[in-house]
Amino acid sequence: MGNEFIKDLFDKYLNNKSVFDNKEALSHAYIPENLLHRDKELEDIVSIVIPAIRQETPSNIFIFGKPGTGKTACVKHIGKELNDISSKKDISSNFLYLNCEMVDTQYRVLSNLLSYYGEDVPLAGWPTDKLYSKFIECIEKKRQIAIIVLDEIDKLVKKGGDDLLYNLSRINGDLADSKVSLIGISNDLKFTKYLDSRTLSSLGHEEIVFPPYNAEQLKDILNNRAKIAFNEGVLSEEVVPLCAAIAAQEHGDARKALDLLRMAGEMAERNNDVKITEEHVRKGKEKLEVDGTTEVIKTLPVHSKILIYSILLLEKCKKRGMITGEVYSLYERLCNVVHIERLTYRRAADLISELETLGLINTVLISKGRYGRTKNISLAVDIDTVERAIQDDERLQSITKISHSQQITLTNHLK
DNA sequence: AATCCACAGGAAGCCCGGGAAC
DNA sequence: GTTCCCGGGCTTCCTGTGGATT
């Protein structure tokens, strides 16, 4: 009986005509054949990198631009081409790509670079200078121009300082037969200000800025991908322009535009609709937002959860803007209730800053004159979404499963 | 003009676990 | 085993500061 029912369900969904033909084309991992509207940027990079083909050292490059402006895609394309050409011409140049989001310490960067040369080093244990000299040894043996791409380089510098960059910028002095040049990619335009001036000067770099896409350009990009991704005739004509317009507002992020388009398709499919409409885009947008914040919050460490819950309660129970001190003293109370040892003020302040970088809250530095300087804090995302996500954590039941009046009592007389 | 609040945020260092080397 | 290095999370201690109030 049950089996029959399930079988029918499968039949029903399998026989559904999908709106998608090749959904992959909308995923982040997909690298398109042609990079639209990035001609100038591509040319700039190629013109700098080209000496590598002649066995000369290219200048170092810093590439800046908001997320989803095609920085990584452009660099990867060029890298592939460069490797192709040099293998044909029997030239030894090497394109090494690293993303510093995951690889965010000196040690890890070096060990990843080494793995490009087939050297497996342990993921901990060695002194870094040993890794460094091993790396030099490896390149030297190959007699090549190595171009090292450090994507999201700002993450690396903000965490580990610029020691590694300084060392890499001066590595050519330690090399006789090989040369290294760097390409740093950063979302943060002010990223160079985190660098020590001596690092900056020994890097001697060129800068390329990727401007955000405008709505028209985003439309081209989306249309291009939609042709591959969707079956013919499923898109109603207002869908692509709408996705483009929304993404253009949010600093021209092509990735976001593609997410919207994909999600719109998924909403249609879930509804068994054969045509994707404006309505699906709006629903999809909402779902992307809710899913995004839910996921972020669920993976937060407990203390961050308690902190954001403090902010949530204050938002619920008071109307005026809350400040760090209030958030912290409510956090202390909540910690007592759930029997979790509280962190110090200093640490909590750092966690609050992290919540801001995650986009969960907004903070504004304000001065209240005689009454001090502090941060004005507010939630940046939907309050119910946050509450539901926090409620999922069993450890926090004793503070989430309480009545509104109990919530108000908790927030009374802080400090 | 000086004061002084309520913090912000930097620096240093501790403790721990992972892992290599001796 | 002991001793070393790295890195993450955390505490302790610290200096710096915009502007309403004195």
Side-chain angles (χ1 to χ4, degrees):
Chain A
M1 283 284 267
N3 280 347
E4 277 305 305
F5 178 67
I6 292 172
K7 205 162 154 258
D8 286 348
L9 278 177
F10 269 98
D11 280 347
K12 179 176 157 201
Y13 280 93
L14 281 172
N15 290 332
N16 255 347
K17 282 201 297 305
S18 173
V19 293
F20 291 110
D21 178 23
N22 178 8
K23 199 157 128 187
E24 284 304 300
L26 299 176
S27 84
H28 294 173
Y30 182 85
I31 301 186
E33 299 262 316
N34 301 312
L35 297 164
L36 297 171
H37 301 295
R38 289 285 96 129
D39 293 356
K40 182 176 174 301
E41 288 75 14
L42 284 167
E43 195 176 334
D44 284 349
I45 300 173
V46 168
S47 70
I48 300 174
V49 163
I50 205 77
I53 305 285
R54 302 191 296 266
Q55 291 293 82
E56 291 159 18
T57 324
S59 306
N60 298 321
I61 315 176
F62 280 146
I63 297 176
F64 299 102
K66 290 271 167 59
T69 48
K71 304 181 294 295
T72 306
C74 284
V75 169
K76 281 189 165 171
H77 256 70
I78 289 172
K80 190 172 168 294
E81 192 63 28
L82 188 80
N83 279 346
D84 284 356
I85 293 178
S86 37
S87 65
K88 262 181 226 148
K89 292 197 168 188
D90 210 26
I91 291 168
S92 188
S93 68
N94 202 356
F95 206 81
L96 314 173
Y97 174 88
L98 290 185
N99 188 318
C100 305
E101 165 115 65
M102 333 290 285
V103 187
D104 56 358
T105 65
Q106 274 207 71
Y107 192 98
R108 292 212 261 270
V109 168
L110 285 170
S111 76
N112 266 269
L113 287 174
L114 280 165
S115 72
Y116 269 98
Y117 291 92
E119 293 282 341
D120 275 329
V121 294
L123 32 87
W126 280 20
T128 25
D129 42 338
K130 188 170 173 184
L131 291 181
Y132 187 73
S133 44
K134 186 101 190 164
F135 178 56
I136 288 180
E137 197 182 296
C138 282
I139 316 185
E140 200 70 334
K141 225 187 291 172
K142 294 260 183 176
R143 296 168 171 271
Q144 67 181 4
I145 307 289
I147 298 177
I148 301 174
V149 181
L150 299 172
D151 203 348
E152 309 205 38
I153 194 171
D154 44 333
K155 302 257 165 57
L156 175 69
V157 174
K158 276 173 197 161
K159 266 188 74 181
D162 62 358
D163 286 358
L164 174 82
L165 235 48
Y166 182 66
N167 290 334
L168 285 180
S169 71
R170 303 192 47 196
I171 197 172
N172 287 336
D174 294 336
L175 294 169
D177 298 325
S178 297
K179 293 292 171 217
V180 165
S181 87
L182 296 174
I183 299 181
I185 305 180
S186 166
N187 294 329
D188 185 349
L189 288 141
K190 296 167 298 178
F191 141 79
T192 42
K193 83 165 191 227
Y194 299 105
L195 294 176
D196 197 300
S197 57
R198 72 181 213 290
T199 309
L200 212 49
S201 67
S202 70
L203 273 169
H205 61 278
E206 311 213 21
E207 298 191 358
I208 296 174
V209 177
F210 278 53
Y213 296 109
N214 62 33
E216 281 305 307
Q217 295 168 331
L218 285 170
K219 236 192 276 178
D220 286 343
I221 294 169
L222 290 180
N223 278 326
N224 210 29
R225 301 279 191 103
K227 256 185 267 162
I228 311 167
F230 293 108
N231 285 315
E232 236 179 286
V234 299
L235 276 180
S236 38
E237 56 190 73
E238 73 273 11
V239 168
V240 163
L242 181 59
C243 292
I246 295 172
Q249 272 171 21
E250 312 201 8
H251 31 258
D253 185 342
R255 210 175 306 169
K256 180 155 251 164
L258 290 163
D259 281 342
L260 279 169
L261 193 55
R262 178 177 45 84
M263 197 46 102
E266 281 175 17
M267 296 317 273
E269 196 157 69
R270 197 168 305 180
N271 261 352
N272 289 331
D273 295 336
V274 285
K275 199 137 176 111
I276 303 171
T277 65
E278 220 177 302
E279 188 53 28
H280 295 126
V281 178
R282 295 194 197 289
K283 283 217 185 92
K285 178 168 185 268
E286 211 164 292
K287 180 153 167 48
L288 276 175
E289 279 158 12
V290 171
D291 286 0
T293 50
T294 307
E295 185 53 31
V296 173
I297 291 172
K298 279 188 178 168
T299 52
L300 243 34
V302 224
H303 288 286
S304 300
K305 283 189 184 173
I306 302 174
L307 279 166
I308 199 171
Y309 193 65
S310 310
I311 295 167
L312 180 144
L313 285 185
L314 285 168
E315 190 119 317
K316 242 180 160 179
C317 301
K318 305 198 165 171
K319 44 248 129 210
R320 61 185 182 79
M322 70 197 85
I323 61 177
T324 318
E326 289 172 326
V327 172
Y328 184 71
S329 51
L330 178 53
Y331 158 82
E332 281 182 303
R333 280 186 198 176
L334 295 179
C335 280
N336 282 337
V337 179
V338 295
H339 303 298
I340 289 176
E341 196 126 346
R342 72 192 168 87
L343 299 174
T344 54
Y345 182 88
R346 184 68 188 83
R347 179 65 187 145
D350 277 344
L351 292 181
I352 290 174
S353 301
E354 277 173 31
L355 292 177
E356 189 188 15
T357 25
L358 288 171
L360 296 174
I361 59 172
N362 293 318
T363 71
V364 189
L365 205 63
I366 52 158
S367 175
K368 300 197 286 183
R370 189 88 199 202
Y371 303 106
R373 274 175 106 218
T374 182
K375 271 179 174 174
N376 225 331
I377 300 172
S378 58
L379 264 188
V381 288
D382 179 56
I383 188 162
D384 296 324
T385 312
V386 178
E387 190 158 20
R388 269 194 291 274
I390 301 271
Q391 278 166 350
D392 255 35
D393 195 315
E394 294 125 27
R395 291 169 295 186
L396 304 181
Q397 279 194 6
S398 48
I399 50 174
T400 52
K401 304 234 162 104
I402 55 175
S403 69
H404 187 58
S405 59
Q406 282 172 298
Q407 290 179 349
I408 290 175
T409 321
L410 271 172
T411 59
N412 275 341
H413 311 298
L414 288 169
K415 271 189 298 184

